[in-house]
Amino acid sequence: MINRTVLVGRLTKDLDLKYTSSGTAVGSFNLAVNRQFTNANGERETDFINCVIWRKSAENLANFTGKGSLIAIEGRIQTRNYENQQGQRIYVTEVVVDNFSLLESRAESEQRKNAVQQNNGGFGDTSQTPNAFGNNAAGNVYNAQSQNTGMPANGPFADGQEVNISDDDLPF
């Protein structure tokens, strides 16, 4: 049997870090993940995936990320259920995170947050606001600097510099 999940998206809010009675760290968060296709109105829909992470990884994720951070996670899907105070059976499906990767630097994250706040304060016209994949509503890729100019970015390799990646850094 195989139960592996890999997701790339943005945190919808800061990680909710708590500790069990035995002192084990546990963090819960929602990851906004865009769908690969558009709906009938030409808009890209987003799924909000419940995730949980444990121990030192939870503490690290809480320390190095915040609302809007672009991350990749690897884990497994888990279902559980419990009875709430009203006697209703509640079913929960979530991704239990085994590994995560930060996909933007802290400086890039801060630039993006500042650019979004300056452009529209988080409200109004979001056509230039990046979604979970850094794309705007038209599907163009924008970085924090190109948002201010309105010009689409040509990607991380636009300046022509060579990037060396070892085989150990590849996810496959």
Side-chain angles (χ1 to χ4, degrees), residues 21-50:
S21 58
S22 63
T24 304
V26 59
S28 59
F29 60 96
N30 283 327
L31 196 65
V33 180
N34 280 357
R35 295 183 181 173
Q36 294 296 314
F37 53 88
T38 57
N39 63 17
N41 298 330
E43 299 168 344
R44 204 170 286 277
E45 294 182 5
T46 303
D47 292 306
F48 298 92
I49 313 293
N50 294 325

Side-chain angles (χ1 to χ4, degrees), residues 77-96:
I77 295 176
Q78 176 176 287
T79 59
R80 59 186 171 88
N81 64 73
Y82 63 92
E83 196 169 297
N84 68 9
Q85 293 177 347
Q86 291 77 28
Q88 298 170 317
R89 178 72 46 198
I90 304 296
Y91 295 90
V92 178
T93 301
E94 59 198 0
V95 174
V96 178

Side-chain angles (χ1 to χ4, degrees), residues 76-147:
R76 60 187 166 83
I77 295 176
Q78 176 176 287
T79 59
R80 59 186 171 88
N81 64 73
Y82 63 92
E83 196 169 297
N84 68 9
Q85 293 177 347
Q86 291 77 28
Q88 298 170 317
R89 178 72 46 198
I90 304 296
Y91 295 90
V92 178
T93 301
E94 59 198 0
V95 174
V96 178
V97 178
D98 295 327
N99 299 303
F100 70 90
S101 296
L102 306 177
L103 299 181
E104 63 185 359
S105 69
R106 184 169 271 185
E108 289 172 325
S109 179
E110 290 301 318
Q111 281 182 339
R112 179 186 36 75
K113 286 180 189 176
N114 291 336
V116 169
Q117 288 174 353
Q118 288 174 0
N119 285 347
N120 61 17
F123 302 101
D125 177 20
T126 58
S127 63
Q128 299 301 317
T129 303
N131 58 21
F133 291 106
N135 300 332
N136 67 0
N140 296 324
V141 176
Y142 283 81
N143 62 25
Q145 291 176 333
S146 67
Q147 279 186 337

